[in-house]
Amino acid sequence: MEHYMLFLFFLAALTQTETWAGCHTMKYFDTIVTGPSLGLEERWFMTVGYVDDQQFVRFHNSSGSQITEPRAPWIELETPDYWERETRHLKDSQHCPMSLQNLHFNYNQSDDGGVHTLQRMYGCEVFPNGSFSTFFLRYGYDGQDKLSLDPETVIWIASDQVALNLKLKLETDRSLAERWEVYLKETCVQELLRHLEKGKKTLLRTDPPSVRVTRHITSDREVFLKCRAWGFYPSEISIIWLKDGEEQIQDTEYIETRPGGDGTFQKWAAVEMPFRNEEKYTCLIQHEGLPAPLSLKWEPQSTSNGLFMGIIAAVLLLFTAVVAGVVIWKKSTLGGKGRNYALTSEIDSAQGSDVSLTARG
Ligand SMILES: *[C@@H]1O[C@H](CO)[C@@H](O)[C@H](O)[C@H]1NC(C)=O
Ligand SMILES: *[C@@H]1O[C@H](CO)[C@@H](O)[C@H](O)[C@H]1NC(C)=O
Ligand SMILES: *[C@@H]1O[C@H](CO)[C@@H](O)[C@H](O)[C@H]1NC(C)=O
């Protein structure tokens, strides 16, 4: 599954493109895998479409037929008209002159016996008010960016000699770049706005992060504090560590924001320090779902307090249960009516716990 890993790598690299807070994007990722065992006719082909961080469509060649599949609940409600249009778009993008198949990055590897991956990412971004912000069109080969269309100048940008040869070839037909420009600035934006409207319950929601700071001992002199955020949407988040009010860029270790598996995201940032310096550090979290930035410190007291309260609660519960048990036992030995047992004992136990609380207070 080497090419699958490569695919994920490229996907991760491409989704890193900065999105402004409150902006929305629609992106398509095309992948073609070629190799000696696959043969030219049986190349593995796949397109996945995303609105922001959510996949909504998948298109692939499966045993000779082409399949368009919905991948999000809100897109399943789309009209047959929409599906016809979408399938036509996905098929055309395979066959137009600028398709991935027609773009050959000639690195003289045609008979090296290896598997090669061609990728294309394209899409558009809109401002929170719905107007066009920018577009993306990039081609990659074996996991590396090769060629892209600059959104400002609408000029091809090549990253090496092979890509430069392609760029020169593409520039002989100016209408190609122009056609892409029309699609990316107009059609793409219209479709994106339609998706945001139809899927607004899911796409325009903001789930604020749940957060926690934990302490881990690394050696007999050092500890690290880990600031974790999870359960948030959209994926855009900022987690930084401050020491005496200053950001600790050098000493902070991050993980990439990753999907939590339930449509939300997770991330952490950790910072290492000598023992007993913990209170100098503050974790600062910013997310669209938070009304204001959240600052957190490691609090040794709160965890032991929590444990203490837990023990009290457990003792109380046990006491209540004993009281309730005695009451029920008394009632049943006094011979109350069977049908009312459950009800009376419930009321009794509620009173019992009230009694125990007042007794304690
Ligand atoms: C996908 O399948 C269609 C129909 O069999 C075929 O014409 C096309 O070349 C295939 N595309 C790729 C990239 O394999
Ligand atoms: C591929 O081979 C041709 C002919 O030998 C050569 O001119 C060209 O520079 C090679 N390309 C690369 C990227 O090595
Ligand atoms: C939408 O917002 C962007 C960025 O804030 C601004 O540049 C643009 O003029 C706005 N467009 C409209 C139609 O209000």
Side-chain angles (χ1 to χ4, degrees):
M1 285 280 92
E2 199 182 316
H3 53 264
Y4 182 64
M5 292 307 293
L6 196 64
F7 173 64
L8 288 181
F9 170 79
F10 193 60
L11 191 69
L14 287 177
T15 42
Q16 287 314 305
T17 45
E18 282 296 315
T19 301
W20 285 45
C23 287
H24 296 281
T25 61
M26 178 165 82
K27 289 176 185 166
Y28 286 95
F29 298 85
D30 298 344
T31 306
I32 292 179
V33 178
T34 59
S37 59
L38 296 166
L40 262 190
E41 291 309 308
E42 295 151 64
R43 290 178 300 190
W44 186 79
F45 177 89
M46 172 129 102
T47 296
V48 286
Y50 279 76
V51 171
D52 295 336
D53 300 318
Q54 209 181 101
Q55 192 188 337
F56 70 96
V57 73
R58 182 164 78 174
F59 176 77
H60 58 115
N61 257 22
S62 178
S63 47
S65 60
Q66 295 170 315
I67 301 167
T68 311
E69 289 174 306
R71 303 292 288 170
W74 49 269
I75 202 84
E76 282 174 26
L77 307 172
E78 269 294 1
T79 58
D81 245 24
Y82 168 81
W83 286 112
E84 212 173 285
R85 196 164 70 235
E86 183 70 355
T87 304
R88 198 173 340 112
H89 159 71
L90 293 167
K91 275 187 185 164
D92 284 354
S93 74
Q94 270 196 76
H95 294 300
C96 80
M98 258 314 282
S99 78
L100 214 43
Q101 291 101 308
N102 292 328
L103 210 58
H104 298 291
F105 290 95
N106 186 11
Y107 289 91
N108 291 347
Q109 296 160 323
S110 52
D111 49 6
D112 68 353
V115 169
H116 297 288
T117 314
L118 261 169
Q119 284 161 302
R120 173 172 68 186
M121 184 277 273
Y122 61 96
C124 52
E125 182 181 273
V126 295
F127 287 119
N129 62 15
S131 66
F132 171 82
S133 148
T134 189
F135 69 69
F136 323 94
L137 174 57
R138 295 203 214 162
Y139 290 85
Y141 181 73
D142 283 352
Q144 288 184 315
D145 271 323
K146 291 296 174 196
L147 194 69
S148 60
L149 192 62
D150 182 66
E152 300 289 327
T153 57
V154 197
I155 285 172
W156 297 102
I157 298 170
S159 69
D160 63 21
Q161 195 55 44
V162 174
L164 189 64
N165 291 340
L166 266 170
K167 168 187 150 83
L168 296 175
K169 212 186 282 177
L170 295 177
E171 277 172 351
T172 60
D173 185 0
R174 186 69 205 149
S175 70
L176 278 179
E178 279 164 9
R179 255 187 290 164
W180 269 109
E181 191 184 7
V182 170
Y183 169 78
L184 294 167
K185 286 187 172 170
E186 289 166 26
T187 319
C188 179
V189 169
Q190 284 158 17
E191 294 285 341
L192 171 54
L193 295 180
R194 180 187 172 99
H195 294 327
L196 290 171
E197 174 57 30
K198 296 237 168 190
K200 62 184 166 201
K201 268 207 194 111
T202 320
L203 297 168
L204 300 183
R205 79 188 199 275
T206 49
D207 295 337
S210 299
V211 293
R212 196 172 167 205
V213 172
T214 51
R215 192 177 75 141
H216 307 263
I217 296 167
T218 46
S219 71
D220 53 357
R221 288 195 196 154
E222 303 271 314
V223 290
F224 72 85
L225 295 182
K226 192 188 256 187
C227 186
R228 290 204 304 132
W230 69 96
F232 56 88
Y233 185 93
S235 68
E236 185 71 15
I237 196 166
S238 153
I239 306 181
I240 57 170
W241 274 104
L242 304 169
K243 182 190 176 193
D244 304 324
E246 237 174 81
E247 188 180 351
Q248 302 297 295
I249 301 169
Q250 300 291 321
D251 301 325
T252 307
E253 188 193 331
Y254 293 96
I255 58 155
E256 295 294 352
T257 307
R258 61 188 182 201
D262 59 354
T264 66
F265 291 85
Q266 343 179 308
K267 191 184 184 73
W268 57 252
V271 66
E272 197 168 27
M273 69 203 64
F275 261 117
R276 283 187 259 288
N277 274 278
E278 295 90 332
E279 74 279 7
K280 292 183 186 159
Y281 288 80
T282 309
C283 172
L284 192 73
I285 300 172
Q286 286 171 283
H287 185 264
E288 219 181 305
L290 296 168
L294 209 63
S295 62
L296 279 134
K297 280 180 175 285
W298 179 60
E299 284 172 33
Q301 295 306 323
S302 71
T303 38
S304 50
N305 268 350
L307 190 65
F308 184 61
M309 292 307 286
I311 292 169
I312 290 188
V315 169
L316 252 165
L317 205 68
L318 192 69
F319 181 69
T320 311
V322 170
V323 170
V326 169
V327 171
I328 294 165
W329 174 77
K330 272 194 180 163
K331 290 241 165 176
S332 53
T333 47
L334 287 173
K337 285 192 176 145
R339 272 189 103 201
N340 291 333
Y341 265 179
L343 190 63
T344 21
S345 63
E346 238 173 68
I347 293 163
D348 284 340
S349 71
Q351 280 167 352
S353 67
D354 275 343
V355 167
S356 69
L357 277 172
T358 19
R360 201 179 142 261

